[in-house]
Amino acid sequence: MISEFIASLFAAFVVEPVQADILARLDQAGASVEVVSQSRDCLATTAPILISRAGDDVWWAGSTVIAVATGWQSPAELLDAGNPACGPLAVFLVGTEASS
């Protein structure tokens, strides 16, 4: 029960804002259709994994919420490196963070 509550808070305060931020940055930068499509695939598969991990590991969830909220952790760091759809998105995000 508590893990479900933590997972829902994590989804509301980390996953949803990160998804919105990533999609807004892609739109603002004029990313190609391919990168936007891959980003949607990446986010659709990564979000449930992150939410499940948050429910299983409360300390990780809490530290991640703080790190993302304060800017200590980049949204690109939350993406699944093993997911082929996340590769181009991570490269794009790191590139846009380096140029800003």
Side-chain angles (χ1 to χ4, degrees), residues 27-73:
D27 184 50
Q28 181 182 23
S32 70
V33 174
E34 180 182 348
V35 171
V36 173
S37 175
Q38 287 178 331
S39 70
R40 291 186 191 278
D41 293 343
C42 173
L43 295 171
T45 57
T46 301
I49 294 168
L50 293 173
I51 293 168
S52 175
R53 182 174 179 191
D56 294 338
D57 187 351
V58 175
W59 294 112
W60 176 82
S63 65
T64 301
V65 168
I66 292 168
V68 170
T70 59
W72 291 341
Q73 185 171 17

Side-chain angles (χ1 to χ4, degrees), residues 74-96:
S74 162
E77 294 176 55
L78 294 174
L79 300 177
D80 179 12
N83 185 341
C86 292
L89 178 60
V91 169
F92 177 83
L93 291 174
V94 169
T96 59

